[in-house]
């Protein structure tokens, strides 16, 4: 009996192995975005090898703020109208040869940075051109019916108008709140909402940094990390700033799947305002740690010109794309200390 079992088992192995061998050696041929013909026996994670349908410039996004269409009510209140369109069928080349199905607000990840002054009436005309249900949930203070949780907006042209007074002062994320929530966030449906104080902050070179991660093989672990979506972008395209000039960075952590993220600035320290709701900084540091959707405002000036890194001090994140450079140049409009390097 035992001999019969071994014979049957042996025959099964002989029959299975050729099938496995053939499957492993089967060559798949495809054309990359650059036109190269590639053959592989490995897994093809994304069958779409076409030119990216999303044109996103992290440099343009960095300092771009949307103030809406302005009008004034009969009572004298400033009204700001915005239009935000959701889509879930776009393909973006997030890294050379790596294509990802991004879900977008107004065609990009992150969506537009919208900005208002405390007390303004914010009116967001939301259009869902995606195939799935989507919403917009704004962090901040607003009526329950404007929370974007219990009012899913149907796809293929569904519409909803969010209306509320801007507040409180600070920097807040907005994102889709349809379940499963992590799926809608990790695909890119989020953006930044800045509420300025009525008394205004000091003039500064202002920029927005959204810390995000990309799970390209859908195993709930991020393969890439970035500032403003494109890994290593600001390392290869340093952000140019001037010496002795106030820099203000609105930073928002939207990394999903990892419990914390962080930001370290080289050669300097910054005043940090958690959430930006207080006009007095909470501490002076070169390192902050952020959980999901945690955010704040950084303010600093560089005294000496040169290249300075900023990056996640979680080494895995920085080595997978979350790293950038400030290129500090002498400010021609202000007296800056001359430094003789190498002495």
């Amino acid at each position: 009996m035992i001999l019969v079992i071994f014979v049957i088992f042996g025959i099964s192995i002989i029959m299975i192995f050729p099938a496995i061998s053939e499957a492993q050696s089967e060559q798949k041929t495809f054309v990359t975005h650059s036109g190269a013909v590639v053959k592989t026996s490995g897994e093809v994670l994304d069958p779409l090898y076409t030119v990216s349908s999303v044109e996103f410039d992290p440099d343009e996004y960095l300092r771009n703020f949307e103030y809406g269409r302005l009008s004034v009510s009969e009572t004298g209140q400033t009204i700001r109208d915005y239009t935000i369109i959701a889509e879930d069928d776009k393909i973006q080349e997030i890294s050379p040869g790596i294509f990802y199905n991004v879900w977008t607000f107004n065609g990009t990840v992150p969506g537009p940075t919208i900005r208002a002054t405390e007390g303004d009436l914010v009116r967001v005309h939301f259009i869902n051109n995606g195939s799935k249900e989507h919403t917009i949930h704004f962090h901040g203070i607003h009526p329950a019916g404007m929370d974007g949780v219990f009012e899913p907006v149907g796809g293929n042209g569904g519409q909803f108008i969010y209306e509320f007074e801007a507040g409180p002062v600070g920097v807040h994320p907005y994102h889709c709140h349809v379940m499963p929530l992590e799926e809608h966030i990790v695909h890119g449906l989020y953006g930044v909402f800045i509420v300025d104080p009525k008394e205004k902050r000091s003039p500064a070179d202002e920029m927005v940094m959204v810390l995000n991660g990309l799970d390209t093989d859908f195993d709930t672990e991020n393969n890439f990390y970035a500032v403003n979506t494109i890994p290593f972008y600001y390392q290869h395209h340093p952000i140019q700033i001037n010496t002795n000039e106030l820099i203000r960075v609105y930073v928002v952590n939207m990394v999903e799947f990892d419990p914390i993220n962080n930001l370290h600035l080289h050669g300097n320290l910054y005043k940090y305002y958690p959430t930006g709701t207080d006009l007095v900084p909470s501490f002076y540091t070169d390192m902050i740690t952020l959980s999901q959707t945690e955010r704040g405002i950084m303010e600093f000036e560089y005294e000496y010109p040169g290249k300075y890194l900023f990056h996640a001090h979680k080494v895995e994140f920085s080595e997978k794309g979350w790293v950038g450079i400030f290129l500090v140049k002498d400010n021609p409009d202000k007296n800056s200390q001359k430094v003789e390097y190498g002495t």
Side-chain angles (χ1 to χ4, degrees):
M1 181 66 179
I2 295 175
L3 180 61
V4 171
I5 292 173
F6 273 116
V7 170
I8 294 173
F9 179 73
I11 294 172
S12 300
I13 292 295
I14 292 170
M15 294 176 65
I16 291 170
F17 271 137
I20 294 175
S21 178
E22 288 177 11
Q24 289 179 336
S25 62
E26 181 184 353
Q27 295 287 306
K28 305 179 187 71
T29 302
F30 59 89
V31 180
T32 70
H33 69 292
S34 61
V37 178
V38 176
K39 291 186 178 182
T40 180
S41 59
E43 290 296 322
V44 179
L45 297 178
D46 190 339
L48 293 168
Y49 291 88
T50 59
V51 174
S52 172
S53 63
V54 174
E55 292 184 6
F56 177 67
D57 184 348
D59 275 333
E60 180 180 345
Y61 174 83
L62 187 70
R63 293 183 172 97
N64 187 62
F65 304 97
E66 303 287 345
Y67 291 91
R69 299 177 298 279
L70 292 179
S71 60
V72 180
S73 71
E74 294 179 355
T75 62
Q77 184 180 32
T78 297
I79 301 172
R80 297 183 185 272
D81 282 273
Y82 308 84
T83 299
I84 295 182
I85 301 172
E87 295 175 290
D88 49 38
D89 62 346
K90 293 189 177 297
I91 303 298
Q92 180 172 354
E93 187 176 19
I94 58 169
S95 191
I98 305 296
F99 294 85
Y100 186 62
N101 171 213
V102 290
W103 300 1
T104 62
F105 284 136
N106 286 6
T108 63
V109 176
T113 298
I114 66 175
R115 195 162 183 172
T117 300
E118 185 181 24
D120 290 351
L121 182 66
V122 173
R123 186 181 293 144
V124 178
H125 302 260
F126 176 55
I127 303 171
N128 181 10
N129 283 344
S131 60
K132 308 174 185 295
E133 290 184 338
H134 297 301
T135 66
I136 303 180
H137 166 62
F138 290 89
H139 286 219
I141 300 172
H142 45 250
M146 298 291 109
D147 202 37
V149 175
F150 304 111
E151 312 82 23
V153 180
N156 303 309
Q159 299 189 29
F160 190 87
I161 296 177
Y162 297 95
E163 187 172 291
F164 51 88
E165 283 195 357
V169 166
V171 53
H172 312 288
Y174 66 85
H175 58 84
C176 181
H177 213 293
V178 171
M179 299 297 180
L181 186 55
E182 66 180 20
E183 179 184 24
H184 290 248
I185 289 180
V186 78
H187 274 279
L189 285 176
Y190 48 78
V192 176
F193 173 41
I194 296 172
V195 180
D196 292 313
K198 293 179 180 179
E199 58 270 32
K200 304 297 182 184
R201 300 183 190 273
S202 301
D205 181 359
E206 296 190 319
M207 55 194 75
V208 172
M209 292 187 181
V210 177
L211 314 182
N212 44 11
L214 300 158
D215 174 23
T216 57
D217 56 5
F218 314 111
D219 63 353
T220 68
E221 291 187 7
N222 292 309
N223 304 88
F224 296 92
Y225 297 88
V227 176
N228 299 341
T229 305
I230 307 299
F232 300 106
Y233 184 86
Y234 296 116
Q235 180 178 357
H236 300 303
H237 306 81
I239 299 171
Q240 296 190 25
I241 59 177
N242 293 321
T243 57
N244 302 306
E245 184 174 25
L246 181 63
I247 307 299
R248 181 175 296 124
V249 179
Y250 299 90
V251 58
V252 181
N253 178 40
M254 293 304 299
V255 167
E256 194 56 60
F257 304 134
D258 294 286
I260 63 169
N261 199 348
N262 47 38
L263 191 159
H264 169 51
L265 181 65
H266 278 226
N268 210 340
L269 278 78
Y270 47 86
K271 296 176 182 177
Y272 186 66
Y273 307 76
T275 312
T277 50
D278 198 332
L279 301 183
V280 178
S282 295
F283 42 89
Y284 187 52
T285 183
D286 64 0
M287 173 78 175
I288 54 173
T289 299
L290 305 165
S291 63
Q292 283 96 340
T293 73
E294 197 168 355
R295 67 276 188 190
I297 300 173
M298 302 164 47
E299 289 185 344
F300 56 92
E301 295 183 20
Y302 271 100
E303 182 178 357
Y304 308 112
K307 291 182 179 180
Y308 296 92
L309 280 175
F310 62 92
H311 61 91
H313 227 298
K314 170 68 172 162
V315 176
E316 176 193 2
F317 295 4
S318 59
E319 291 185 347
K320 291 181 178 179
W322 177 172
V323 60
I325 294 173
F326 282 116
L327 176 57
V328 184
K329 296 186 172 184
D330 276 317
N331 189 345
D333 298 325
K334 294 185 178 181
N335 294 325
S336 59
Q337 181 180 352
K338 292 184 178 181
V339 179
E340 296 294 333
Y341 291 97
T343 60

